[in-house]
Every structure is written in structure tokens, then in C-alpha cells.
Amino acid sequence: MSVRPLAATAAAVLGVGALLAPGPVARAEQSAAVSPGPQGTPLVIAHRGASAYAPENTLAAVDLAADMGFAWVENDVQRTKDGELVVIHDDSLTRTTDVEQRFPGRAPWKVKDFTAAEIATLDAGSWFGAKWAGARVPTLEEYLNRVDENGQKLLLEIKKPELYPGIEKDTLRVLGEEGWLDAGHVSCRLVIQSFGAASVKAVHQQRPDITTGFLGSPAVADLPSYAAYTDQINPTYGTLTAGYVAAVHRLKGVHGKPLQVSTWTVNTAADAARVAGYGVDGIITNNPDVVRDAVED
Ligand code: G3P
Ligand code: CA
């Protein structure tokens, strides 16, 4: 088990008031996979971890989300030059690490052009703030173990699958090796999503029991074709309407339950209240505390 200082981390970042929220275990037990939050409110999913307060897609961001009481975290998975899966959003290492200083001759510093050992040496925290210096780009293995230790649940995004042929099989292999494909995880602690329809379809074909999501806003007329291999349609919030949410909900997903909607990336109380009013099932947010307060009000 992790021995990280839970309360100390949250208090340092958010202040004592944040600690009045329920702890990780209490929250985790309140929300099953694709089930609503308290009182039927949308599930709140910490986007790239609690990424408004800690460097995105790091173990620190996952830990902070747990300390704030959030069971669900979202991440982004890509593949290194030597075939390791790592958790990072951009296909370049430049924005969130010190790669340009550490490897000046390696432009354009793509994830796929660096080995896992090289990426493991990078500082993925200082760009966000000096106090986060030394945070690393986690491997998927490290990330899964930490999410498990925290008792959390994972919305895993296969990022830019067109850059990484076969990444679906690799992802499923690592998930299996780390114990994430047993019944307990698959039934209520794991959703795999992607902007790539072929990638979502590949995951479903290889592991039909896994809950999947398509990132995007397909035309209503096209929704039935997505429902053949996915359980969620996860659109950006900007153009979302109540009518679109209702149209998605009218269909059944591949596992026979109503097709669901988790929208992103909703970071203000006003936007959270708006999309909650549309009846979305989940809200993916950098500011999970703001969204929780808004939807539970
Ligand atoms: O989970 C939805 C969201 O993460 C999709 O957009 O660019 O933040 O990965 P992006
Ligand atoms: Ca993402």
C-alpha cells in the first residue's frame, strides 16, 4: 500500500477546508462504474487527475484527486519508442516536461521517439510549479498500481491511436498484467475511451466485457452504428444540448443499457450546472471540487 501523506498533500494544495470533504474510500464506494453520483447527480471525473491543482497525468494529480474525495480519474495513454505505455496527453514531451533542456538535439521531442528509460528521467512537474519538481511521466503500470492503491476508478483514454498501431492490444495486456481485467475491475472500475472509433471498436472486439466510450459528437443518425460497440458517447460540452443528450439516452449501448454521456472539459460551476441540467451521466473536469459543489447544490 501507498504510504503517501494523504491529508498533508490535500491541505498543502487546497487549504484546510478541502479536508472537510469525504475521504477517498467513502467516495469510491459511493459510485460504481457509469452510475450517477450522490442523489442522481452526474458522476464527477477528475480530468488528467486533479489537473487544475497538480501537474496533469502524474501520480501526484491522481493522489490529489483521491485526497479530495474523487473516485474517478481520467488519463491519456501513449507508447514509447521501445514499446512501453506511458501516461501523457500531448504526443510531444515539450509542454509538460524539461525534455528540450535535457535532450536538446532531439526535436521534435515526440513521445514515440524516446525510450521509456529516457522519459523516466524527465521532470514532469516543474512546468506546473516549483513545488512539483521531480514529478515523473508515469508508466501505465505505475499509474494503474497507484489508482488501485487509492481505491480509485479509471477512465482510460487511448490517445492518438493512429500513431501507435496495435496500442489497444498493448493496453489490454498491461491492464491484465496489473490485475485490471478481473471481474471486480471490469464490472465497475474501468472504462476505455478514444477519439478513434476504430480503436474503441478494437478494444471491444478484443475484450467485449469492457465498458467503452467514443469521444466526439456523432450525428444523431449515426449513433446506432456507434452503439454497436460502445457504451458511452462523450462529447465536448461547448456545443452540447439537452436534445443531443436525450437522443443518446434513447439508444441502448453494446451492453444493453442506455447509452451514456460524459462531457468534457467542464471547469466552471455555471457550465457544470448547465450540462447537469441536460441530464449528462458524467462530467469530466480539471476542477472536480468546483463541479461537485455545482452539481450537488
Ligand atoms: O476525457 C475527455 C478529454 O480528455 C478529451 O480531450 O484532449 O483532454 O484528451 P483531451
Ligand atoms: Ca484525455
Side-chain angles (χ1 to χ4, degrees), residues 1 8 21 36-37 58 67 103 110 112 141 153 162-163 192 214 218-219 222 235 290 293:
M1 279 293 290
T58 62
D67 294 350
F103 297 94
K110 297 288 187 184
K112 66 180 178 59
E141 176 184 342
K153 309 179 184 196
E162 65 276 13
L163 297 179
I192 299 180
F214 174 72
D222 295 333
V290 171
D293 289 349

Side-chain angles (χ1 to χ4, degrees), residues 42-63:
L43 200 61
V44 180
I45 302 160
H47 183 240
R48 311 180 194 172
S51 61
Y53 310 110
E56 65 184 55
N57 277 326
T58 62
L59 300 185
V62 165
D63 290 346

